[in-house]
């Protein structure tokens, strides 16, 4: 081997850099453990809400390391927490360089946000009233239910179908005042479409930046935010985030900040009471059918009530709804509050107040009045009603666009508040508004996302300089978040969470523990097996394998890649298949030794002869992993990332590091047999006539495929919410529970719900499609509260709803994780998964065709892969109803299918490489003998790799995380079926198609030509 010195230097440097990079992870873990210990010491379990208090204390401890400074000379510098001698690092730097853990390992929240392209289009059209335009918007929504295209493409398609003579460049649509600089009346629709596409993309970029700025101020470590194509979807991952409601508020607020003049109590209350009395009289009229109420009587009754604005509604009637249908709980005191209502009646109140018949009685100067609710106090059942002085266009005199800065502050009563600074234009308008309010003793409402946060009077004269403040009934955290949202800016359109996942921190810790346990067990077996089978040379393979693992983690940390639970599975799987390269090399060396060559010659020729098979096998596996990376999201992308990195580092360590170690030992006179007394000669004289047994194999495979297809068309698969949409919750109970009883209670509430055991009998995975089409926060809360109600009798006595939600604390009872997928996203995931599988088959077909130059090889390989995939699907279809673990078909399962494809191809390509070699070396052999000899000569490698991979997978299955058992079961079945198909399906199909006519001879000639060239 040439350039040994460079390879040694590179290996040493690569290893040292990996150790250096991983040291930050160990230091970060050490600091976080210290923070947890300090928090536990500060708050005993006897304290109310001790878990929440501990979480806050832990965050304060870590924040103090980031913000505290020490004096160095005349300057103040951040505190150093890690000293390497040659360099010192702050906690922020340590955290940035540490291994990034995914949600399933650290706990946290993952969400896909859909920015409403429909809203953006409406905004670009200045809220056009054109009927063709608005129908196209509605039709586009219908098209989106069964389309892979973006909403914008659906809109253009819908518009083209119904437009008639209407043009996109109509002054009533996009050729409006705001877009007059870029869209002219005489433009064609195609020209306008290009401009609108650009405008939409600019809006999505704006939304992305707004969300990124908001998340940067949220305070979690290693947040991840990325656009998903041009669909208007944005992926957000917040490892370590615990407060889902807070996250939802921050990322879905459009932050439409507006400043409005308000009406006073006495100006609007008569109308509210008039509507209330009209409802009373309408109720009486409905009951009596004969009674006619005069308008003067209504006005008289209203006037009597106004006489005492501070009075309260009488509620001692036998039927409150008869005398107070609006549910008025109190009146304003002559300020900006009109009245107090029950929060549960808000929708009903607004509906009646905005009824066209009722609004027709308003004075002309109040015809644009807008009723808005105030911010609701925590745990309060009441809401305050305000009335703002809106206008025809609903455009405020001053909006949040003028805000240049916002920060958390305190008001005069020492309550949390938000102070804002405006630009010059805003400051001037603000001064005019406050001057008018001062002179008229009026009020200015500060409205954010259609909620009044405060509506203060101006008692000290006009406010100059553009300073303003929002105060209200919110906590310090809410004030910080509000300032962050205002500072980041408003979203250009509404944002909706269409997919979400929430994982508790204790579940994440359990995943780490089980992942590490399975990792160490699998590693120990592989290390011992290599020594058992190959003796001293196995030790060299083990050293290369350990270096390989170090490099994988080092590369992950260096690249800032996120390590997930499937990622750990990818690493463990890499351990199983990374020995394959060493097995290929050692088997070839054994063959050379058997020919009587010297150790040095055997080593040289063995490495050389194995190189082609190693590269082909790893490239085919790498191609499927690459497709998985392109089509996958979240944890599945993590699986693909570790697999790709593992393949690259495995190639380096097997081809170069193992070679260095073997050469070093042989050159100093050492003797290597590449076997032990127990394995010497194993598989040496095996002579199985595989081709003779192919017809039996065809029958067996045919029966398995028919059974699989029958089950798939009748029983089907257990499709997870990734593919059908819905909500899933993982709930842990104190004692084992009966699935049937739980399902009965759940179906009584949700009508349709599924419950499955995951892990022990005290842990269930619950799925429901209840309110599946509603992505609102209210729907999430409704489903979650109903779930708690249905499960309450199985939970510890006295457990509160909040304790159920925070069940991932020390108690570990209650909700451990949750996820949500909207039907639209589910449809997209399903289609992307199908394309991923089909795409991998096409890519592999083309690669094998390129490498072997004959379609028979490609056909055999792809047929075997189809065979393997169908059987894995069939086994899942046949067994999912009674297996003691979840076998849902989700994105993780697709990852397993693609891995099975890669593994099956890996096996097949090694055999094909040997066939190509024997066709050249043994030109006098008959074609069937060449095939059989090739299969027999690679049998040792095939079984060796399969056994090590299977044991690794079994270790993970037995000791790994519950959530991965379905994926691992698919891999176990896939390895067994893949090994069988490479011997009895792929090669026989290639043989049967090549033996016809002169194909076999042509194949031999082609191999000769390649070698001569």
């Amino acid at each position: 081997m040439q350039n040994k010195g460079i390879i040694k230097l590179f290996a040493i440097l690569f290893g040292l850099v990996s150790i250096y990079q991983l040291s930050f992870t160990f230091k970060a873990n050490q600091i976080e453990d210290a923070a947890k210990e300090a928090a536990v010491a500060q708050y005993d379990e006897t304290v109310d809400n001790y878990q929440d208090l501990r979480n806050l204390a832990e965050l304060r401890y870590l924040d103090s390391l980031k913000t505290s400074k020490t004096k160095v000379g005349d300057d103040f510098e951040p505190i150093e927490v890690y000293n390497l001698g040659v360099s010192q690092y702050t906690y922020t730097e340590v955290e940035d360089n540490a291994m990034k853990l995914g949600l399933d390992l650290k706990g946290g929240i993952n969400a896909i946000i859909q920015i409403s392209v429909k809203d953006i289009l409406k905004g670009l059209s200045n809220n056009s009233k054109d009927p063709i335009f608005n129908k196209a918007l509605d039709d586009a929504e219908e098209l989106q239910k069964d389309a892979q295209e973006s909403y914008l493409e659906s809109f253009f398609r819908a518009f083209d179908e119904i437009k008639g003579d209407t043009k996109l460049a109509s002054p009533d649509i996009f050729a409006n005042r705001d877009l007059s600089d870029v869209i002219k009346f005489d433009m064609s629709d195609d020209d306008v479409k290009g401009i609108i596409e650009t405008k939409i993309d600019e809006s999505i970029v704006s939304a992305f930046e707004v969300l990124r700025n908001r998340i940067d101020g949220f305070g979690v470590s290693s947040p991840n935010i990325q656009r998903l194509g041009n669909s208007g979807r944005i992926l957000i991952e917040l490892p370590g985030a615990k407060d889902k409601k807070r996250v939802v508020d921050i990322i879905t607020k459009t932050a439409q900040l507006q400043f409005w003049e308000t009406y006073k109590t006495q100006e609007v209350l008569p109308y509210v009471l008039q509507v209330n009395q009209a409802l009373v009289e309408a109720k009486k009229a409905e009951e009596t059918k004969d009674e006619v109420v005069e308008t003067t009587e209504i006005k008289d009754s209203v006037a009597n009530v106004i006489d005492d604005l501070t009075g309260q509604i009488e509620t001692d009637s036998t039927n409150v709804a008869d005398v107070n249908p609006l549910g008025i709980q109190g009146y304003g005191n002559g300020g900006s509050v009109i009245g107090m209502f029950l929060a549960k009646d808000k929708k009903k109140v607004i509906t009646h107040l905005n009824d066209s018949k009722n609004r027709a009685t308003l004075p002309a100067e109040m015809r644009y009045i807008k009723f808005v609710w105030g911010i609701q106090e925590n745990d309060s059942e009441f809401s305050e009603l305000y009335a703002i002085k809106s206008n025809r266009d609903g455009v405020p005199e001053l909006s949040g666009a003028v805000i240049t800065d916002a920060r958390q502050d305190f008001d005069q009563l020492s309550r949390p508040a938000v102070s804002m600074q405006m630009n010059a234009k805003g400051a001037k308008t603000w001064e005019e508004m406050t001057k008018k309010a001062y002179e008229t003793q009026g009020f200015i409402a500060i409205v954010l996302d259609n909620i009044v946060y405060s509506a203060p009077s101006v008692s000290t004269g006009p406010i100059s300089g553009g300073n303003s403040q929002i105060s209200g009934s919110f906590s310090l955290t809410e004030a910080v978040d509000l300032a962050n949202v205002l500072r980041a800016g408003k979203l250009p359109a509404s944002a909706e969470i269409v997919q979400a996942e929430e994982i508790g921190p204790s579940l994440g810790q359990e995943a780490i523990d089980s992942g590490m346990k399975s990792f160490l067990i699998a590693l120990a077996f592989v290390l011992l097996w290599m020594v058992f089978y190959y003796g001293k040379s196995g030790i060299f393979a083990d050293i290369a394998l350990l270096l390989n693992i170090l490099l994988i983690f080092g590369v992950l940390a260096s690249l800032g890649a996120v390590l997930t639970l499937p990622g750990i599975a990818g690493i463990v799987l890499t351990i199983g298949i990374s020995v394959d390269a060493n097995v290929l090399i050692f088997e070839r060396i054994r063959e050379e030794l058997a020919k009587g060559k010297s150790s040095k010659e055997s080593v040289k020729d063995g490495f050389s002869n194995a190189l082609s098979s190693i590269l082909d096998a790893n490239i085919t596996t790498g191609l499927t992993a690459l497709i998985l990376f392109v089509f996958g999201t979240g944890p599945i992308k993590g699986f693909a990332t570790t697999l790709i990195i593992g393949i690259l580092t495995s190639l380096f360590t097997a081809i170069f590091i193992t070679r260095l170690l073997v050469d070093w030992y042989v050159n100093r006179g050492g003797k290597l047999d590449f076997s032990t007394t127990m394995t010497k000669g194993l598989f040496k004289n095996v002579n199985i006539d595989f081709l003779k047994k192919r017809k039996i194999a065809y029958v067996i495979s045919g029966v398995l495929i028919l059974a699989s297809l029958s089950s798939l068309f009748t029983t089907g698969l257990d499709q997870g919410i990734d593919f059908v949409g819905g909500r899933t919750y993982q709930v842990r109970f104190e004692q084992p529970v009966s699935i049937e009883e739980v399902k009965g209670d759940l179906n009584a509430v949700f009508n349709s719900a599924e419950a499955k055991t995951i892990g022990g009998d005290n842990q269930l995975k619950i799925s429901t499609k209840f309110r599946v089409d509603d992505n609102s926060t209210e729907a999430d809360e409704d489903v979650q509260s109903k779930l708690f109600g249905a499960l309450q009798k199985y939970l510890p006595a006295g457990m509160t709803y909040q304790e159920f939600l925070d069940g991932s604390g020390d108690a570990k009872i209650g909700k451990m994780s949750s996820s949500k997928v909207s039907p639209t996203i589910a449809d997209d995931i399903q289609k992307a998964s199908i394309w991923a599988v089909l795409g991998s088959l096409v890519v592999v077909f083309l690669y094998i065709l390129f490498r072997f130059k004959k379609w028979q090889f490609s056909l055999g390989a792809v047929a075997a892969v189809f065979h393997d995939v169908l059987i894995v699907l069939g086994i899942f279809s046949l067994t999912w109803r009674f297996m003691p673990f979840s076998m849902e078909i989700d994105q993780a399962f697709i990852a397993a299918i693609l891995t099975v494809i890669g593994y099956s191809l890996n096996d097949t390509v090694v055999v094909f490489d040997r066939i190509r070699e024997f066709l050249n070396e043994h030109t006098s052999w008959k074609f069937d003998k060449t095939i059989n000899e090739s299969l027999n000569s690679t049998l040792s490698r095939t079984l060796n790799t399969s056994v090590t991979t299977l044991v690794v997978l079994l270790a993970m299955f037995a000791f790994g995380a519950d959530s991965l058992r379905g994926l691992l079961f698919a891999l176990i079945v896939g390895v067994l079926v893949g090994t069988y198909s490479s011997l009895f399906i792929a090669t026989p199909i290639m043989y049967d198609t090549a033996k016809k006519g002169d194909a076999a001879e042509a194949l031999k000639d082609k191999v000769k030509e390649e070698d001569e060239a």
Side-chain angles (χ1 to χ4, degrees):
M1 185 174 67
Q2 303 295 319
N3 302 317
K4 290 183 180 180
I6 294 175
I7 293 170
K8 286 179 185 177
L9 178 64
F10 184 76
I12 292 169
L13 290 176
F14 204 174
L16 289 175
V17 169
S18 296
I19 292 170
Y20 162 79
Q21 198 66 50
L22 290 172
S23 70
F24 290 102
T25 302
F26 293 119
K27 187 63 182 180
N29 290 339
Q30 190 181 62
I31 294 170
E32 288 172 7
D33 288 342
K36 287 177 184 176
E37 290 174 8
V40 169
Q42 190 173 351
Y43 295 103
D44 190 73
E45 292 185 11
T46 56
V47 179
D48 291 339
N49 299 321
Y50 73 92
Q51 192 62 51
D52 291 337
L53 293 171
R54 284 180 180 178
N55 289 337
L56 287 172
E58 186 179 333
L59 287 173
R60 282 197 297 268
Y61 181 100
L62 297 175
D63 284 342
S64 68
L65 292 179
K66 293 179 181 178
T67 57
S68 299
K69 295 187 177 183
T70 182
K71 190 170 184 179
V72 179
D74 295 331
D75 298 323
F76 286 90
E77 296 181 1
I79 295 174
E80 295 167 355
V81 298
Y82 188 33
N83 191 336
L84 283 175
V86 294
S87 187
Q88 296 79 39
Y89 300 92
T90 64
Y91 176 62
T92 301
E93 292 169 330
V94 168
E95 189 180 42
D96 289 342
N97 285 288
M99 177 81 74
K100 309 295 187 293
L101 298 182
L103 304 180
D104 46 8
L105 295 178
K106 193 172 183 177
I109 295 168
N110 163 295
I112 291 180
I113 311 301
Q114 176 71 64
I115 303 298
S116 175
V117 177
K118 182 179 180 180
D119 282 1
I120 299 173
L121 286 170
K122 282 183 175 180
L124 291 172
S125 73
N126 271 344
N127 292 311
S128 172
K129 300 293 190 290
D130 185 275
I132 300 293
F133 172 76
N134 284 288
K135 187 177 190 314
L137 290 175
D138 294 336
D139 290 350
E141 285 195 334
E142 288 300 314
L143 290 172
Q144 279 289 288
K145 293 179 180 178
D146 189 32
Q148 276 294 97
E149 62 191 7
S150 67
Y151 178 88
L152 183 60
E153 290 169 323
S154 293
F155 166 74
F156 287 150
R157 185 150 61 94
F159 184 83
D160 288 341
E161 288 175 1
I162 63 173
K163 66 181 182 180
D165 295 331
T166 306
K167 294 175 60 180
L168 289 173
S170 163
D172 293 330
I173 305 180
F174 293 126
N176 52 56
R177 184 176 55 191
D178 291 346
L179 295 178
S180 60
D181 291 343
V182 289
I183 298 180
K184 308 300 180 184
F185 301 143
D186 57 350
M187 279 186 172
S188 67
D189 281 354
D190 288 339
D191 291 336
V192 174
K193 286 177 182 178
I195 295 170
I196 295 301
E197 284 175 0
T198 301
K199 291 290 183 183
I200 293 292
D201 189 63
E202 288 173 355
S203 295
I204 301 299
V205 170
S206 172
F208 178 84
E209 289 303 318
V210 168
L211 287 172
R212 185 175 61 79
N213 289 331
R214 290 183 185 182
I215 288 165
D216 285 345
F218 185 70
V220 298
S221 62
S222 310
N224 176 37
I225 174 170
Q226 55 185 282
R227 283 186 66 181
L228 301 178
N230 61 353
S231 63
R233 291 174 188 156
I234 297 173
L235 170 68
I236 294 173
E237 293 177 327
L238 302 174
K242 300 179 177 69
D243 190 343
K244 183 179 178 181
K245 183 179 182 301
R246 183 183 171 201
V247 171
V248 170
D249 285 344
I250 282 180
I251 62 181
T252 60
K253 267 195 174 88
T254 53
Q256 298 280 2
L257 181 65
Q258 300 173 332
F259 299 85
W260 293 95
E261 288 184 65
T262 73
Y263 289 101
K264 298 175 184 177
T265 308
Q266 58 269 29
E267 293 176 301
V268 183
L269 185 59
Y271 171 71
V272 175
L273 295 174
Q274 178 179 311
V275 172
N276 193 60
Q277 189 61 31
L279 290 170
V280 172
E281 299 302 338
K283 178 78 172 176
K284 288 180 181 178
E286 187 181 334
E287 291 173 353
T288 63
K289 300 293 183 183
D290 298 324
E291 184 176 350
V292 179
V293 181
E294 297 294 334
T295 305
T296 54
E297 292 177 338
I298 298 176
K299 289 182 178 178
D300 289 344
S301 61
V302 171
N304 291 335
V305 182
I306 296 175
D307 288 340
D308 184 8
L309 289 178
T310 58
Q312 298 296 317
I313 298 292
E314 295 290 340
T315 57
D316 58 354
S317 167
T318 55
N319 190 347
V320 175
D322 287 343
V323 297
N324 186 17
L326 285 182
I328 305 172
Q329 302 299 304
Y331 309 129
N333 57 3
S336 55
V337 177
I338 307 304
M340 185 83 73
F341 297 81
L342 290 172
K344 66 181 181 67
D345 292 336
K346 288 196 295 186
K347 186 176 180 180
K348 177 182 73 174
V349 172
I350 293 295
T351 299
H352 287 303
L353 293 179
N354 286 335
D355 184 273
S356 57
K357 291 181 181 178
N358 292 327
R359 289 185 71 98
T361 66
L362 284 165
E365 65 273 14
M366 297 177 69
R367 64 183 180 277
Y368 297 122
I369 188 173
K370 184 177 179 181
F371 295 98
V372 187
W373 294 106
I375 186 171
Q376 195 169 333
E377 294 185 21
N378 292 332
D379 303 322
S380 173
E381 58 179 326
F382 302 108
S383 287
E384 295 176 334
L385 181 69
Y386 295 82
I388 60 177
K389 296 181 179 181
S390 188
N391 49 52
R392 180 193 295 272
D393 298 323
V395 178
E397 193 173 352
L398 190 63
S399 73
V402 302
I403 301 298
T404 58
D405 190 24
R407 67 184 187 281
Q408 186 273 316
D409 206 344
F410 294 93
D411 63 14
Q412 294 177 343
L413 299 176
S414 297
R415 297 177 304 177
V418 175
S419 292
M420 299 175 292
Q421 178 64 47
M422 301 176 186
N423 60 24
K425 182 180 177 182
K428 183 179 179 182
T429 306
W430 182 240
E431 186 172 359
E432 292 171 355
M433 287 184 71
T434 52
K435 178 182 179 182
K436 183 178 179 182
Y438 173 70
E439 292 173 348
T440 61
Q441 296 185 337
F443 301 85
I444 298 177
I446 301 175
V447 184
L448 180 68
D449 289 343
N450 215 33
I451 295 174
V452 176
Y453 274 71
S454 61
S457 61
V458 180
S459 57
T460 58
I463 302 174
S464 60
N467 291 310
S468 60
Q469 189 180 75
I470 303 176
S471 60
S473 302
F474 38 73
S475 66
L476 180 61
T477 300
E478 289 169 335
V480 170
D481 289 345
L482 179 57
N484 176 29
V485 167
L486 293 176
R487 189 168 54 249
K490 72 173 184 177
L491 288 173
S494 60
E496 185 179 56
I497 296 179
V498 291
Q499 181 177 342
E501 185 177 14
E502 180 187 2
I503 298 174
S506 67
L507 195 62
Q509 188 57 49
E510 290 172 12
I512 293 174
D513 294 342
S514 61
M516 287 303 298
K517 186 176 182 180
S518 64
F519 172 81
L520 293 173
I521 290 172
L523 179 61
F525 171 81
V526 172
L527 295 176
L528 291 172
W529 176 261
M530 292 301 287
V531 175
F532 163 77
Y533 201 91
Y534 292 109
K536 292 177 183 177
S537 52
I539 297 174
F540 299 140
D542 287 348
I543 294 171
L545 178 59
L546 291 172
L547 177 61
N548 181 28
I549 294 167
L550 174 66
L551 297 183
I552 290 173
F553 282 107
V555 171
L556 283 171
S558 300
L559 295 177
V562 178
L563 182 64
T564 62
L565 193 55
I568 290 179
I571 292 172
V572 178
L573 186 60
T574 300
I575 294 172
I577 63 176
S578 67
V579 299
D580 180 55
N582 281 313
V583 169
L584 279 168
I585 292 166
F586 291 171
E587 290 298 321
R588 296 308 295 255
I589 294 174
R590 286 171 68 170
E591 290 176 13
E592 300 304 320
L593 287 170
K595 293 176 183 178
K597 293 183 180 180
S598 67
S599 293
K600 287 185 179 180
E601 272 191 296
S602 297
V603 169
K604 180 183 176 183
D605 292 344
F607 272 92
S608 177
N609 293 335
L611 187 59
S612 176
S613 295
I614 291 171
L615 290 176
D616 282 336
N618 281 278
I619 287 172
T620 50
T621 307
L623 286 172
T624 56
L626 191 61
I627 290 170
L628 188 60
F629 180 84
V630 172
F631 284 94
T633 58
I636 306 309
K637 195 179 284 285
F639 177 84
T641 302
T642 54
L643 202 54
I644 291 168
I645 292 171
I647 288 170
L648 294 174
T649 55
S650 295
L651 284 171
F652 171 72
T653 53
I655 295 173
F656 296 110
I657 304 304
T658 305
R659 178 71 183 274
L660 276 176
L661 294 170
V662 170
D663 280 351
W664 167 79
Y665 189 78
V666 170
N667 289 336
R668 62 190 292 270
K671 189 176 185 306
L672 290 176
D673 294 328
F674 294 89
S675 61
T676 62
T677 52
M678 296 183 67
T679 59
K680 192 170 186 177
L682 200 61
F683 298 107
K684 187 175 182 180
N685 297 315
V686 174
N687 189 22
I688 301 171
D689 192 342
F690 288 97
L691 293 180
K692 192 174 183 180
K693 303 177 189 303
R694 72 185 188 283
K695 292 181 180 178
I696 298 173
Y698 287 163
V699 171
I700 294 171
S701 293
V703 171
L704 288 172
I705 289 172
L706 280 174
S708 297
L709 290 172
S710 298
S711 183
L712 286 169
F713 283 117
T714 54
T715 305
L717 295 162
D718 182 20
Q719 294 190 65
I721 66 166
D722 281 0
F723 287 167
V724 295
R727 293 174 175 85
T728 291
Y729 304 87
Q730 187 171 329
V731 181
R732 181 175 291 168
F733 302 89
E734 198 169 22
Q735 302 293 335
V737 293
S738 166
I739 293 182
E740 293 306 316
E741 283 185 30
V742 172
K743 282 176 70 173
D745 290 330
L746 290 170
N747 283 317
V749 176
F750 297 122
N751 297 324
S752 174
E754 284 293 329
K756 302 166 190 170
T757 302
I758 180 166
D761 292 337
N762 69 326
Q763 197 161 283
L764 296 182
K765 187 175 186 179
I766 297 168
S767 303
T768 177
K769 291 184 182 179
F770 183 71
R771 298 189 70 174
V772 66
D773 292 314
D774 191 343
N775 290 313
S776 66
T777 307
E778 292 75 12
D780 294 341
E781 184 63 26
D782 180 42
V783 175
Q784 204 161 241
S785 62
K786 281 182 167 59
L787 175 70
F788 173 67
L791 299 178
Q792 202 159 11
K793 70 179 185 181
Y794 304 100
L795 298 168
M799 175 178 263
T800 65
Y801 176 58
Q802 194 58 46
E803 288 171 337
F804 170 75
L805 298 183
D806 298 336
S808 52
D810 287 353
K812 297 184 181 179
I813 305 297
K815 188 186 78 171
M816 305 297 291
S817 68
S818 66
S819 59
K820 173 182 76 172
V821 180
S822 74
T824 303
I825 286 283
D827 182 59
D828 290 351
I829 291 172
Q830 192 174 44
K831 288 175 181 174
S833 300
I834 293 170
W835 280 113
V837 175
L838 293 177
S840 66
L841 293 175
V842 170
V843 168
V844 167
F845 181 91
L846 294 174
Y847 177 76
I848 293 178
L849 184 62
F850 167 75
R851 286 292 288 133
F852 293 92
K853 303 297 189 293
K854 280 291 178 180
W855 62 268
Q856 289 91 346
F857 283 106
S858 292
L859 178 64
V862 173
V865 167
F866 261 115
H867 164 277
D868 299 344
V869 170
L870 277 176
I871 290 178
V872 172
L873 287 171
I875 289 175
F876 264 64
S877 177
L878 289 164
T879 61
W880 69 266
R881 290 182 179 276
F882 55 83
M883 280 292 189
F885 52 87
S886 176
M887 294 179 69
E888 286 187 351
I889 305 302
D890 52 16
Q891 291 186 83
F893 177 79
I894 298 303
I897 289 294
L898 286 169
T899 307
V900 167
I901 290 173
Y903 183 87
S904 176
L905 288 167
N906 187 305
D907 249 4
T908 303
V909 167
V910 169
V911 174
F912 283 179
D913 263 318
R914 185 57 65 92
I915 291 172
R916 183 172 56 179
E917 180 184 335
F918 277 11
L919 283 171
N920 182 50
E921 287 183 3
H922 307 285
T923 54
S924 61
W925 286 0
K926 290 184 177 180
F927 193 39
D928 58 348
K929 182 180 180 181
T930 304
I931 302 296
N932 278 321
E933 288 297 327
S934 299
L935 288 166
N936 281 298
S937 65
T938 55
L939 188 61
S940 175
R941 173 265 163 198
T942 299
L943 295 180
N944 218 330
T945 301
S946 296
V947 168
T948 52
T949 306
L950 269 176
V951 172
V952 167
L953 292 172
L954 288 169
M956 292 168 63
F957 185 84
F959 303 104
D962 297 325
S963 59
L964 283 180
R965 288 215 163 88
L967 179 148
L968 293 169
F969 182 73
L971 289 176
I972 290 168
V973 173
V975 168
L976 290 170
V977 177
T979 303
Y980 159 80
S981 70
S982 65
L983 295 171
F984 293 101
I985 302 298
T987 308
I989 285 178
M990 185 276 293
Y991 169 77
D992 283 332
T993 53
K995 73 176 182 177
K996 295 176 182 178
D998 297 325
E1001 293 303 318
L1003 195 61
K1004 292 182 182 181
D1005 293 340
K1006 186 68 181 175
V1007 172
K1008 289 179 186 176
E1009 290 171 14
E1010 287 176 9
D1011 287 346
E1012 287 169 4

